[in-house]
Amino acid sequence: MHKSTKLLVLGFCVLGIMVWSCHRTTPKALRIVEINNGQILTADTQDEWTTGSGEELEEHSETPSYSVEVEVSYTERGTGLPTYPTAYTAEITDYTVTFKDITPGATPGEFAPAPVKGVCYFVVPSDPAGKKTVKQSILVLPAAWIDQYPELEDGKVLNAKITLRGKDMVSNLEINGEGILTINIANFEDDPQKRGE
């Protein structure tokens, strides 16, 4: 084999390794930067209000649903050729919210509600510095979920772990990221003159 042929084969091998290695996903590259603007979510299990006046007064009641905004960054940088064939991008397609009762004085494990699972779709372009973020609203407490647990009416403090899942659009590898939200939920006193207050 000629020297130039050997160098050409070696060059293709090195290029192949670089292309292959750039498809490896960096651990914890998908990050939930902030949930609900860093605030505790206060959730009322039952919204009650009235309409009309005098004899025409009507009372209304409903179980609200609660969504929060998650701010997400993706810091995938890969190895080898960092932008081959296009810039890394996280495609987020679903999420799970799992709950832990952290109410002061509560018995650990006594109240263990089912997780909330949902679908979503948003993309997060990679920024290795982690400065570029994408915000997306997701449903964490559906009304039907709240209705399953009458014990929430008396008040609970929940630690909600949100796990986002999807894939990298370049490597097609699965990715996930987690964040924690504190939820204060109870049947709070309502303003009867205003729906949602």
Side-chain angles (χ1 to χ4, degrees):
M1 188 180 285
H2 295 295
K3 188 174 183 180
S4 60
T5 306
K6 288 182 180 177
L7 287 174
L8 185 62
V9 170
L10 181 61
F12 278 124
C13 288
V14 169
L15 183 60
I17 290 169
M18 289 175 68
V19 169
W20 172 80
S21 66
C22 78
H23 287 312
R24 288 186 287 178
T25 301
T26 304
K28 300 187 180 181
L30 183 68
R31 299 175 184 164
I32 297 180
V33 177
E34 192 172 67
I35 303 171
N36 200 37
N37 294 315
Q39 303 295 312
I40 291 173
L41 173 64
T42 300
D44 189 1
T45 60
Q46 202 63 219
D47 184 21
E48 298 174 352
W49 73 99
T50 58
T51 57
S53 60
E55 294 182 6
E56 302 294 319
L57 194 66
E58 289 185 40
E59 295 183 355
H60 306 274
S61 177
E62 72 176 5
T63 304
S65 294
Y66 292 91
S67 295
V68 295
E69 188 175 72
V70 292
E71 184 177 4
V72 183
S73 72
Y74 189 49
T75 59
E76 179 62 58
R77 67 182 71 225
T79 55
L81 301 174
T83 57
Y84 174 85
T86 58
Y88 291 103
T89 304
E91 179 182 46
I92 311 305
T93 54
D94 64 280
Y95 64 92
T96 302
V97 186
T98 54
F99 302 94
K100 181 180 179 183
D101 184 5
I102 58 168
T103 307
T107 303
E110 184 177 10
F111 177 64
V116 170
K117 297 184 179 185
V119 295
C120 58
Y121 185 81
F122 63 103
V123 295
V124 187
S126 177
D127 173 26
K131 294 180 181 178
K132 293 180 184 176
T133 62
V134 171
K135 295 181 179 181
Q136 178 72 28
S137 180
I138 61 171
L139 180 65
V140 293
L141 295 178
W145 183 90
I146 294 172
D147 283 339
Q148 291 181 73
Y149 303 104
E151 53 267 71
L152 293 173
E153 298 252 335
D154 296 330
K156 294 282 186 184
V157 181
L158 303 176
N159 181 314
K161 181 171 76 171
I162 299 173
T163 304
L164 301 176
R165 280 184 296 275
K167 67 177 183 178
D168 182 277
M169 296 174 75
V170 173
S171 67
N172 212 33
L173 294 174
E174 292 183 2
I175 54 176
N176 62 69
E178 297 178 349
I180 300 294
L181 169 70
T182 300
I183 301 173
N184 187 11
I185 186 167
N187 188 1
F188 297 107
E189 186 175 349
D190 298 306
D191 181 344
Q193 305 302 315
K194 295 180 181 178
R195 183 178 182 180
E197 294 289 333

